[in-house]
Amino acid sequence: MKRLVVVDVNKCVGCQLCMLACSRRFGVVGHNKSAIWVRSAGGFERGFTIAVCRACKDPPCARVCPTDALKVREGGGVILNPTKCIGCGLCKEACDIGAVMWDYEVDKPVICVHCGLCVNYCPHSVLSLEEVV
Amino acid sequence: MDWFKSLSNVLYVDLTRKTFWVESREDLFSKWLGGIGVATQLYKEEVPKNADPLGPENVAIFAVGPFTGVHHLGSKTIAVFKSPLNNYFSESHAGGRSALAIRFAGYGAIVIKGSSDRPIYLIINDGKVRFRDGSILWGMRSTETVGRILREVSPGPGHRAIMRIGRAGEKLVRYASVITETYRHFGRLGLGAVFGAKKLKAIVVVGLKGFTIPDISTYRAVYNEVYELAVKSPAMKKYHDLGTAANILALNSIKALPTRNFSSGSFEHAGEVSGEKLAETVLARRVACAGCPTACIHIAALREPYPEEPYFYKMKFISYDHEPLYSLATNLGIGSRDGFLKLLDAVEEEGLDAISTGVVLAWATEAFSNGIITEKELLTKPSWGDFESYIKMVRNIVIQPNEFYRTMALGVDEVAKKYGGLDYAISFNKVEPAGYHTGPLYIISLLIGSRHSHLDSGAYSMDQELLAAKKPLPTPQEAVEKIIEEESWRQILTSLPVCLFARGIYKPEMVEKCFKPLKKEVSAAELKKLGREIWIEKQIIKYSEGFNPLELRIPKRVLETPTPHGVVDENYVREALKYFNLVVNLSSKLK
Ligand code: SF4
Ligand code: SF4
Ligand code: SF4
């Protein structure tokens, strides 16, 4: 099993190609379906902060979900079952690193599935897909 | 939502009545694509012929287009307004996050009308416009602080653009800029003063929406194809490595680097302020506009000790490019990197256009040494290389303590008309030029361009190509044809709009291909035709506002200082302008 890793955030240039790639999984152009979020660390000069699921082995988001909509993924992290999700937002609150994004269109969370698509479009080798040991 | 429906939404904001509304303008976006094409039409609808650029009848239009967020380097926003510097239809382009934020907010264009009675700023988010009290931000000394505060009080980090003016805009300096994301500028032609006159301190745009593409598999294929070109081509790598600052040494070696108010084409200290040297010594970070893999923005770190307190330092971060290096270093005879960075920092804090400011300062230096103006007006004694005096002068252009500085704030043309020294007041159609002294084609392009960027038609590189190929100059008529042809094609690139650094990638056939996934059939030939049409539309507007190429002033200095093509013959340029006039008159009749 693989997981997405932020290798070196200092090399990030803030192009947001990773975010665009993630939304593109759903045939959408935008940032609204992206499970990865790049923002400046208080102004561009200070570099960037990347929030994305780090594939916890015992993810708090899954533990707080009242409807069992988040299943723990083999290799860490979670898989969302949208039909079960009621959009209560508890998972978003439970994630201290802010890696549970929100899709305002459907009012449900967006969480990284560690597919690695974004890695292919990061021009500066900030992201990588690594085998979970 | 479908891409075209969301693109066609134009947001109108009326600052006088503090209202806003959205109109679907499919009519405009289907014919004119977006960007400059659409913005030109909106300008035509909104701005009366005799509009005062600083009156409520002027507008600030921001337009994006079909490639924004969709294709690589679709990262630019096109601003159109009537310039308070030269009184004509004008445009200025910038990236940062502005383009994606506007597009993902669900608009193709934003039209800011009217003017507020007191300072305000706008937050555009989730289909609404909030009018917020801007009095606390008004008068704040640094645009950086303004940005910092707005980051704290606005929603949507990572998904927003924060476009703001500095004190220069508030004080109506005719070459004040609008800054977005601290390091990008709608720099040229005074959009900052247009904001200032409207009492508009800032616009925050939050983009949290998306849209769909009709043919997603074709989309993925062309997206990947362009990606390969964008990250692998040597041309794009150049922008990432050294950035546009790589031009300093290149131009210096062919003696086309404006130095000491264009009195020379080479600078003995060019090596100290070159892209190479800056990268080696002060480069701290490279960043990208949203949607661009290239990352050409170069940010330097400047460490300044506090004079009174040992071991206290302030760290300043300043982005540099070729243009400020020319205008605030070589053209002022500054060979000190720190001196240049400090001066640029002051210009950024105040929110001034670096190019115009540098040219105004250069004129003042010469006027002072010629005795036309004295310390009494200047309040300092500038000389080439003296960045400390220049920093004082920059502050005074904004503070305007006397009549002289009030006139300096109007641009080099106005100040020289009043005090003298017109021969070395370097401006073209009242606008201070970008940093090249490559030859006659470039001079012609500056006189007739509407954006006053070297990228209008890229004539600076036509000059250089002729030189490299050891070809003789074309006839003035051929030169004009060549410039118009290139400038026309660039109307398409800036209607998509894509960053002009990607012009090598977005050839007509590639643009045609990139439209396929959007299910918009438009051939390369049709695109070229449309480019010409947009170009003519712009000329007609300018002419209606009184533009006359036959009456343009050509600064004597640029005709005296040799270019790599030798001394430029004024007759050649005048012949070209005559021919240009003929072409425009003929084309507008045919229309
Ligand atoms: S938002 Fe959905 S996935 Fe998250 S905790 Fe609530 S029900 Fe579970
Ligand atoms: S690994 Fe896949 S799901 Fe996760 S952020 Fe990247 S593209 Fe999105
Ligand atoms: S694609 Fe890479 S460089 Fe660009 S924002 Fe994402 S992580 Fe940063």
Side-chain angles (χ1 to χ4, degrees):
Chain A
M1 266 317 224
K2 299 208 157 148
R3 74 175 184 110
L4 177 68
V5 185
V6 178
V7 188
D8 184 358
V9 72
N10 282 306
K11 283 169 77 186
C12 176
V13 298
C15 66
Q16 302 189 323
L17 256 59
C18 51
M19 293 166 73
L20 294 168
C22 192
S23 283
R24 218 164 39 245
R25 292 178 299 154
F26 305 100
V28 167
V29 177
H31 290 329
N32 53 330
K33 306 273 179 194
S34 173
I36 182 166
W37 179 32
V38 180
R39 64 183 194 280
S40 84
F44 275 21
E45 65 276 16
R46 294 181 208 283
F48 297 91
T49 300
I50 303 176
V52 69
C53 173
R54 59 182 303 274
C56 307
K57 288 269 154 78
D58 180 15
C61 56
R63 268 183 278 141
V64 297
C65 177
T67 64
D68 262 337
L70 294 171
K71 278 267 152 296
V72 179
R73 192 186 74 112
E74 195 195 325
V78 290
I79 303 286
L80 172 79
N81 179 348
T83 57
K84 280 191 175 180
C85 172
I86 55 170
C88 68
L90 288 175
C91 51
K92 188 171 160 63
E93 275 170 50
C95 181
D96 277 344
I97 59 165
V100 175
M101 308 303 156
W102 206 256
D103 180 346
Y104 292 94
E105 217 171 62
V106 295
D107 216 18
K108 287 183 190 193
V110 189
I111 309 177
C112 173
V113 296
H114 301 271
C115 66
L117 190 68
C118 54
V119 176
N120 302 338
Y121 295 97
C122 175
H124 304 288
S125 314
V126 176
L127 308 170
S128 117
L129 204 58
E130 289 179 2
E131 204 60 50
V132 182
V133 280
Chain B
M1 196 191 242
D2 165 64
W3 74 274
F4 186 66
K5 277 212 156 55
S6 92
L7 181 67
S8 301
N9 288 330
V10 175
L11 171 67
Y12 292 84
V13 182
D14 182 344
L15 299 178
T16 308
R17 296 186 299 137
K18 317 280 185 296
T19 54
F20 68 91
W21 65 96
V22 177
E23 284 176 33
S24 172
R25 298 302 305 268
E26 296 192 5
D27 56 330
L28 294 185
F29 283 90
S30 60
K31 160 119 213 237
W32 302 100
L33 305 178
I36 190 62
V38 166
T40 301
Q41 297 304 315
L42 288 168
Y43 181 95
K44 231 163 95 175
E45 291 175 6
E46 297 290 337
V47 183
K49 229 178 247 161
N50 299 317
D52 172 2
L54 298 178
E57 63 270 32
N58 196 4
V59 294
I61 301 165
F62 296 93
V64 294
F67 284 17
T68 308
V70 173
H71 289 300
H72 295 282
L73 288 114
S75 49
K76 285 281 183 298
T77 304
I78 311 301
V80 165
F81 52 99
K82 186 166 186 182
S83 166
L85 185 59
N86 72 0
N87 262 301
Y88 295 115
F89 168 97
S90 288
E91 52 180 308
S92 181
H93 308 175
R97 297 235 175 89
S98 60
L100 265 57
I102 292 170
R103 186 69 183 94
F104 295 162
Y107 307 113
I110 299 176
V111 181
I112 311 281
K113 301 160 62 100
S115 70
S116 174
D117 47 352
R118 54 167 67 225
I120 49 163
Y121 69 95
L122 306 176
I123 296 185
I124 300 175
N125 182 23
D126 202 17
K128 290 187 205 64
V129 178
R130 292 211 162 71
F131 298 84
R132 306 271 292 247
D133 190 311
S135 15
I136 297 175
L137 302 174
W138 203 259
M140 222 166 243
R141 192 177 144 128
S142 163
T143 53
E144 200 195 320
T145 316
V146 173
R148 202 177 287 179
I149 294 164
L150 288 173
R151 280 201 292 275
E152 294 290 323
V153 300
S154 317
H159 305 280
R160 68 186 174 202
I162 303 181
M163 308 187 258
R164 68 265 194 181
I165 59 167
R167 291 195 302 184
E170 296 171 11
K171 296 293 294 285
L172 310 179
V173 178
R174 302 301 193 267
Y175 41 94
S177 65
V178 171
I179 297 175
T180 189
E181 285 66 78
T182 317
Y183 296 113
R184 297 285 91 189
H185 312 84
F186 296 96
R188 311 247 58 208
L189 293 145
L191 183 58
V194 175
F195 268 47
K198 294 186 179 306
K199 289 269 189 334
L200 176 60
K201 183 69 188 176
I203 306 177
V204 181
V205 188
V206 185
L208 284 167
K209 295 178 191 162
F211 50 87
T212 52
I213 301 283
D215 183 350
I216 192 79
S217 66
T218 316
Y219 176 43
R220 291 205 170 101
V222 290
Y223 188 87
N224 291 345
E225 189 179 338
V226 178
Y227 183 72
E228 288 297 308
L229 293 171
V231 295
K232 304 234 165 96
S233 79
M236 300 311 283
K237 202 174 165 307
K238 183 188 101 183
Y239 289 121
H240 179 58
D241 287 350
L242 295 178
T244 56
N247 275 327
I248 292 290
L249 285 186
L251 291 172
N252 196 53
S253 70
I254 58 166
K255 298 202 164 49
L257 179 65
T259 301
R260 295 190 180 88
N261 202 26
F262 287 77
S263 62
S264 163
S266 64
F267 185 41
E268 67 279 17
H269 302 303
E272 292 302 306
V273 291
S274 65
E276 289 78 357
K277 197 52 160 246
L278 283 153
E280 199 183 297
T281 51
V282 291
L283 176 62
R285 193 177 284 286
R286 281 175 292 185
V287 298
C289 295
C292 167
T294 305
C296 76
I297 307 166
H298 286 58
I299 300 178
L302 175 69
R303 183 171 178 252
E304 270 188 279
Y306 282 86
E308 314 79 30
E309 289 189 81
Y311 306 117
F312 266 95
Y313 296 95
K314 63 178 158 192
M315 280 299 270
K316 297 285 262 180
F317 294 92
I318 305 141
S319 86
Y320 62 87
D321 280 297
H322 168 71
E323 300 301 348
L325 278 164
Y326 128 73
S327 65
L328 300 174
T330 68
N331 203 41
L332 293 175
I334 295 176
S336 147
R337 271 188 306 285
D338 278 12
F340 157 72
L341 288 171
K342 283 179 195 168
L343 175 58
L344 176 55
D345 189 43
V347 167
E348 294 280 34
E349 277 191 354
E350 299 291 359
L352 287 160
D353 176 37
I355 297 179
S356 290
T357 305
V359 173
V360 170
L361 294 177
W363 168 85
T365 310
E366 238 182 294
F368 175 67
S369 76
N370 292 345
I372 294 175
I373 43 172
T374 65
E375 195 183 351
K376 191 172 140 276
E377 286 89 22
L378 277 165
L379 311 173
T380 181
K381 297 199 266 185
S383 61
W384 300 127
D386 173 15
F387 59 87
E388 269 154 10
S389 283
Y390 291 135
I391 292 173
K392 282 185 207 143
M393 291 163 75
V394 163
R395 302 287 180 205
N396 281 332
I397 287 172
V398 175
I399 297 165
Q400 297 163 21
N402 58 24
E403 183 57 28
F404 172 72
Y405 277 106
R406 276 192 288 281
T407 320
M408 288 274 273
L410 304 178
V412 80
D413 220 69
E414 289 295 322
V415 75
K417 271 185 193 142
K418 183 155 175 180
Y419 291 87
L422 210 51
D423 287 351
Y424 50 88
I426 315 300
S427 73
F428 299 85
N429 192 20
K430 295 190 75 182
V431 183
E432 298 77 12
Y436 302 81
H437 192 51
T438 47
L441 272 66
Y442 180 58
I443 290 176
I444 296 165
S445 80
L446 285 171
L447 290 161
I448 60 179
S450 59
R451 193 185 152 202
H452 291 274
S453 155
H454 61 298
L455 292 173
D456 276 357
S457 53
Y460 69 103
S461 81
M462 295 175 188
D463 279 331
Q464 291 179 66
E465 279 156 21
L466 287 168
L467 211 66
K470 295 204 171 66
K471 278 197 198 142
L473 284 180
T475 66
Q477 292 75 10
E478 285 164 353
V480 168
E481 286 295 348
K482 209 168 141 71
I483 290 168
I484 295 177
E485 194 191 335
E486 182 59 30
E487 192 163 342
S488 297
W489 172 244
R490 290 181 184 210
Q491 303 313 304
I492 294 300
L493 296 179
T494 54
S495 292
L496 302 171
V498 292
C499 177
L500 285 173
F501 290 166
R503 59 188 181 271
I505 296 173
Y506 289 106
K507 300 263 193 256
E509 290 67 32
M510 182 55 98
V511 175
E512 178 182 341
K513 202 166 175 180
C514 287
F515 267 117
K516 291 255 150 69
L518 300 173
K519 291 246 156 76
K520 187 175 169 81
E521 289 297 333
V522 49
S523 72
E526 284 165 336
L527 285 166
K528 284 190 189 160
K529 202 168 143 254
L530 180 64
R532 181 79 179 212
E533 223 178 311
I534 297 170
W535 179 85
I536 294 167
E537 288 282 307
K538 284 165 56 172
Q539 307 312 318
I540 293 174
I541 295 174
K542 254 173 89 176
Y543 270 64
S544 78
E545 293 171 335
F547 180 68
N548 182 353
L550 306 180
E551 284 173 2
L552 290 170
R553 178 176 80 85
I554 306 173
K556 212 162 175 196
R557 171 64 51 80
V558 300
L559 299 171
E560 286 163 357
T561 303
T563 70
H565 287 280
V567 169
V568 172
D569 174 8
E570 176 163 1
N571 288 328
Y572 183 91
V573 179
R574 295 277 175 214
E575 277 306 308
L577 291 172
K578 261 191 228 153
Y579 183 69
F580 170 83
N581 193 43
L582 211 76
V583 174
V584 175
N585 283 329
L586 204 68
S587 316
S588 47
K589 278 205 196 87
L590 286 178
K591 216 192 135 246

